[in-house]
Amino acid sequence: MNKETRSVSRSSVGGRRRVASRMAVLLSVATGVAGFAATGASASSAPVTIKMFSGSGLAKVNQALATAFNKSQHGVKVVLLTVPDADYNTALPRDLQSSAGPDVAAPAALVQEVADHQLLNLNSYAKQYGWTKKFSKQALAPGRVNAHGVIGTNGSLYMAGGQAGVVTGIFYNRALLAKLNLTVPKTLAQFGADLKAAKAAGITPIVASNADGLTGHLFDMLLGDYMGARKIDNVINNVPGSTVNTPGAVAAANQLASWMSAGYFNSDANAIQQTQSYQEFGAGNGLFFISGSWIESGGNFPASFQYGMMPFPPLHAGGPYSAMESNALAFAISAKSKHQAQAAEFLNWLGSRKAAKVYVKVGGGNALGLAKITAPSLSASLTKQTENIYQLVQKDNGVLNWLQNQGTTVNADYPPQLQLLMAGKTTGSALIQKLESDVQADRQAA
Amino acid sequence: MTATAESTATASPRRRSVVLRRYAGWIFALPALLFYGIFEFRPILSALSYSFYQWDGVAPTKKWVGLANYGAVFTQPQQLASLIHAFVFIFFFTVLPVSFGLVVASIMRTVKPGPYGTVTRTLLFLPQIIPGAAAGVAWNWMYSRDGFVNTVLQWVGLGSLAQPWLGSFSLALPAVGFVGTWLATGLCSVLLMAGVGSIDPGLYEAASLDGAGAWWRFRAVTLPGLRQQIGVCVTITIIAALSSFDVVYLMTQGGPGYTTLVPGVEVYNLAFNENQIGAACALAVVLALIVMLIVVPLQLFFRKGDS
């Protein structure tokens, strides 16, 4: 290397050092400005974006909630990450593994996700925002999980928000019900008599899809009647000693089996999916449709189709109404979220009356305390009927969860087992035995 | 420069050339091998490893269970049934399409080249270009209570046979299997027709002169002449039968009950619905072994014929 080369080299190095030092000065100035902006002028900085995981079926509702929140808050923006409903349970646990995944989500399998350390313990935020004072113990219980994987009142809080959602019940074809001169059944026996009357009149009593196991809605409500909502919830919440293998559960399964063998369902129930069952019921080819209030939105039926909703009757006259209700305003925060404080702020907003009103207005469902309770009526509008059923079930402490939500094994076996029951290839007792073994398998796996 | 250095300098390019020539194939194959290693071989090894654990796919720890997941494949009724159904599918995905293909190829051999043959070939091959998922949805409609199949039955006076096929515990499996027949027949027919075209017509002429009828011409000339093509058809369709997923998942998801459950659907259920990654991997490994145990001897049999 000659001298000239060395001097060029040195000057080059020196030049680079000067550039580097100037860059460092610029960077420190920029950082200082940014720091000033962050501390002294936060209103003008870009909002923190938190991602809300949503199934496509709830995208409209969740978007409305996000939009309302974004309008009313400063510094936090909620955006939706939408996946098809069928992929939700599969995608969520995997997406929660990523720090780039969702910040806020309704758990797919709360106990499992808590065990896998995917969800944030919300105890400190519950204290900060006063959720334990604002909501009853019972309202927060579905979001609490203890160290033994039991959902209930004594665990840490992993899911919180508001109280609003859909409710299950009996939908009926108004014209056919009037033709048969039927009233709102006050007991399960009366409902059975209505089914018999429809069958005798040549009308399919219940339209259902069972290729996807959706006779499960009816089975779950029968379990609520025969076993009691709290006992079913204990099984779902993994309360030690709780079992589905009870005389009540067997009686519920036998009741369903007897209706199936009596031909009270459409003959192709085992072959069709939900969408086809909507078409059948919407075409007037059946009297009853057992489902939840989510079917009221989304254009599932022709606009001209007149249908109403009645509560699932109690086992005995004057007994408590029970039905499944979801809580669409309760969410969890990802343990890997980079914006946990902002996500908690969103959860706190979801517990507001304003959020509940947005949810109801957009047709998501019903919110606790937004309607007065009246006696079930056939003449009321569908919206009023649904609101009333939601409140009735809450008043009777009859809210139960779907048994399928106990665990993945139960969930996987529900459709095939109900198909076997429909075909008379299993008995009510055998069905319950199978579900009990699934429950135990899920508990062991957790 | 010394003499030794000189000789090294002249030998080095020659040696380099020899080395390059010796490893040229590997060098060209390297990118593909890398991709195969990363995206095929490594996942296979991972699946093999997972199959010895109880793991939900998310938890940071896995529980070693040894061969328990493999034991479940043969003792758990649903998993065992899924394997049996896969073997039933071989009849629908392989036996029927290859048989139809042979009949079609024999008939088409006698048809003079022209538009009729082209249209027939195109129509026969058409199902092959339809994705299995789309075929599953379409056939779901056709098998429905008011679908095409029942409508046709009513037209021809067999209305008493009309039923929701996919809801029947006895008929759902054949109904789904028939979709496999429909999908595979085109491929087999086109492959076998191409093979028939390459058989020397003189052989048929000689057989006729020897007094062979249509059956004997088929047995003595067509079948031996199509050995290679039949081997390809049988191999492809058996793999399709044993690893079927899309058609079954879209049509029945394994129901009613567990009557149409096949290993592909069960692996999916175990892995993604029941979060039992270990059990799913064990079933997948068993399925892969079964495929190899069937396909490798078949390949040897058909290659033996060539030699």
Side-chain angles (χ1 to χ4, degrees):
Chain A
M1 199 180 275
N2 58 32
K3 282 181 184 175
E4 197 181 324
T5 316
R6 274 182 206 147
S7 73
V8 168
S9 178
R10 276 178 189 162
S11 83
S12 159
V13 169
R16 277 191 212 122
R17 278 180 187 157
R18 274 195 298 277
V19 170
S21 63
R22 280 170 195 167
M23 288 293 286
V25 171
L26 277 173
L27 198 65
S28 61
V29 170
T31 312
V33 170
F36 172 76
T39 52
S42 60
S44 61
S45 64
V48 169
T49 299
I50 59 172
K51 288 166 276 184
M52 181 188 195
F53 202 70
S54 171
S56 53
L58 285 172
K60 183 183 157 195
V61 173
N62 288 337
Q63 186 57 62
L65 291 168
T67 306
F69 175 77
N70 293 343
K71 275 183 190 167
S72 64
Q73 300 292 317
H74 297 288
V76 184
K77 185 185 176 189
V78 178
V79 296
L80 251 58
L81 285 179
T82 307
V83 294
D85 287 331
D87 295 340
Y88 190 95
N89 290 358
T90 309
L92 181 62
R94 284 148 186 89
D95 283 13
L96 285 173
Q97 283 298 90
S98 164
S99 57
D103 299 285
V104 167
L110 179 65
V111 174
Q112 190 69 52
E113 283 148 13
V114 168
D116 288 340
H117 309 289
Q118 293 187 305
L119 304 180
L120 182 70
N121 185 324
L122 300 175
N123 285 351
S124 59
Y125 290 113
K127 201 175 172 186
Q128 181 185 332
Y129 287 109
W131 292 337
T132 44
K133 288 175 187 165
K134 187 176 173 186
F135 300 107
S136 69
K137 275 188 177 179
Q138 207 59 40
L140 291 176
R144 291 191 183 278
V145 181
N146 72 12
H148 305 290
V150 178
I151 298 174
T153 51
N154 63 351
S156 293
L157 190 69
Y158 289 93
M159 183 172 68
Q163 267 195 294
V166 289
V167 60
T168 56
I170 302 170
F171 292 91
Y172 61 93
N173 179 319
R174 285 184 189 269
L176 291 179
L177 199 82
K179 186 180 167 187
L180 292 168
N181 203 23
L182 300 176
T183 56
V184 178
K186 289 191 169 65
T187 63
L188 201 61
Q190 194 186 334
F191 180 60
D194 292 350
L195 298 176
K196 193 174 180 182
K199 176 83 176 169
I203 297 166
T204 301
I206 301 172
V207 174
S209 64
N210 207 32
D212 43 18
L214 290 187
T215 54
H217 295 314
L218 176 54
F219 179 49
D220 282 324
M221 285 193 283
L222 283 168
L223 284 173
D225 268 8
Y226 280 101
M227 229 179 118
R230 297 288 60 82
K231 279 188 178 174
I232 280 290
D233 265 3
N234 283 346
V235 174
I236 296 163
N237 295 341
N238 296 321
V239 172
S242 61
T243 172
V244 75
N245 193 8
T246 62
V250 174
N254 284 338
Q255 177 67 82
L256 180 62
S258 74
W259 287 345
M260 286 170 163
S261 65
Y264 291 166
F265 292 83
N266 44 311
S267 60
D268 59 352
N270 261 355
I272 65 170
Q273 307 269 348
Q274 182 171 245
T275 313
Q276 291 151 294
S277 68
Y278 288 156
Q279 288 166 1
E280 284 291 307
F281 185 60
N285 295 333
L287 177 62
F288 294 124
F289 190 79
I290 317 292
S291 190
S293 55
W294 59 85
I295 70 168
E296 294 167 22
S297 58
N300 293 314
F301 305 114
S304 59
F305 179 57
Q306 293 295 310
Y307 66 103
M309 187 182 188
M310 54 173 75
F312 194 75
L315 188 59
H316 304 294
Y321 285 107
S322 59
M324 289 82 78
E325 288 185 4
S326 67
N327 190 353
L329 291 183
F331 288 85
I333 297 175
S334 168
K336 295 200 172 174
S337 168
K338 289 172 185 164
H339 307 296
Q340 293 173 346
Q342 289 83 357
E345 193 181 342
F346 179 52
L347 260 55
N348 186 50
W349 180 83
L350 286 172
S352 68
R353 198 169 174 80
K354 189 174 180 182
K357 281 183 176 173
V358 169
Y359 176 77
V360 173
K361 192 180 174 189
V362 79
N366 306 280
L368 195 62
L370 288 190
K372 281 184 182 174
I373 297 172
T374 59
S377 156
L378 293 178
S379 57
S381 72
L382 179 62
T383 308
K384 292 280 179 201
Q385 287 174 330
T386 310
E387 279 173 0
N388 196 43
I389 294 167
Y390 184 86
Q391 313 291 342
L392 265 177
V393 175
Q394 289 273 356
K395 180 181 78 77
D396 286 359
N397 195 20
V399 178
L400 66 143
N401 202 335
W402 285 260
L403 182 58
Q404 299 96 300
N405 290 342
Q406 186 274 334
T408 54
T409 316
V410 178
N411 189 39
D413 268 333
Y414 234 62
Q417 286 298 319
L418 289 168
Q419 289 157 10
L420 288 163
L421 195 71
M422 176 75 82
K425 292 185 180 295
T426 190
T427 62
S429 176
L431 170 73
I432 296 302
Q433 297 279 346
K434 174 69 178 161
L435 295 179
E436 175 64 17
S437 72
D438 288 350
V439 165
Q440 296 306 331
D442 280 327
R443 284 179 183 171
Q444 275 183 355
Chain B
M1 200 178 274
T2 64
T4 315
E6 210 170 82
S7 69
T8 309
T10 52
S12 181
R14 203 180 303 148
R15 194 179 298 156
R16 245 182 273 136
S17 159
V18 170
V19 169
L20 271 178
R21 241 181 288 145
R22 184 179 291 168
Y23 295 107
W26 286 106
I27 292 166
F28 278 114
L30 195 62
L33 279 175
L34 269 176
F35 271 87
Y36 183 82
I38 294 167
F39 297 110
E40 293 280 346
F41 196 63
R42 187 176 168 274
I44 289 170
L45 287 181
S46 297
L48 194 62
S49 155
Y50 294 153
S51 69
F52 299 108
Y53 290 90
Q54 184 185 317
W55 184 45
D56 69 358
V58 174
T61 54
K62 307 181 195 87
K63 184 183 169 190
W64 170 265
V65 291
L67 293 172
N69 288 329
Y70 288 94
V73 172
F74 299 103
T75 54
Q76 213 269 348
Q78 287 148 35
Q79 294 194 39
L80 189 60
S82 75
L83 289 173
I84 294 167
H85 297 153
F87 281 98
V88 174
F89 268 15
I90 291 178
F91 175 75
F92 290 99
F93 279 64
T94 306
V95 178
L96 288 181
V98 173
S99 304
F100 287 151
L102 284 169
V103 171
V104 169
S106 301
I107 294 170
M108 291 301 290
R109 189 185 65 79
T110 60
V111 177
K112 286 179 183 173
Y116 174 71
T118 310
V119 170
T120 307
R121 268 190 294 273
T122 308
L123 287 176
L124 279 169
F125 194 71
L126 214 52
Q128 193 62 36
I129 61 168
I130 296 172
V137 173
W139 276 94
N140 206 336
W141 293 342
M142 289 203 280
Y143 278 132
S144 68
R145 196 180 57 194
D146 303 320
F148 177 76
V149 175
N150 286 334
T151 307
V152 168
L153 284 172
Q154 273 152 2
W155 278 346
V156 298
L158 294 171
S160 60
L161 296 177
Q163 59 184 294
W165 296 83
L166 299 180
S168 163
F169 274 70
S170 53
L171 295 172
L173 186 65
V176 176
F178 181 74
V179 179
T181 308
W182 178 78
L183 283 167
T185 296
L187 175 75
C188 293
S189 301
V190 170
L191 273 174
L192 295 173
M193 276 192 281
V196 160
S198 65
I199 296 174
D200 181 2
L203 291 174
Y204 286 103
E205 205 176 324
S208 297
L209 288 172
D210 286 344
W215 168 244
W216 275 104
R217 283 200 299 277
F218 173 76
R219 236 187 107 170
V221 181
T222 307
L223 270 186
L226 288 178
R227 194 182 182 96
Q228 274 185 345
Q229 287 79 5
I230 292 172
V232 171
C233 287
V234 167
T235 306
I236 291 174
T237 54
I238 281 182
I239 293 172
L242 295 176
S243 63
S244 57
F245 172 78
D246 48 4
V247 169
V248 181
Y249 192 76
L250 264 294
M251 290 182 77
T252 62
Q253 296 185 325
Y258 306 96
T259 52
T260 61
L261 194 64
V262 289
V265 174
E266 183 64 352
V267 167
Y268 177 84
N269 282 341
L270 286 169
F272 300 113
N273 290 334
E274 299 186 39
N275 295 331
Q276 297 183 40
I277 300 295
C281 288
L283 180 57
V285 169
V286 169
L287 180 65
L289 287 175
I290 289 173
V291 169
M292 278 192 279
L293 281 174
I294 293 174
V295 168
V296 170
L298 279 173
Q299 284 289 302
L300 292 174
F301 170 75
F302 287 111
R303 280 185 194 166
K304 199 175 168 187
D306 295 344
S307 62

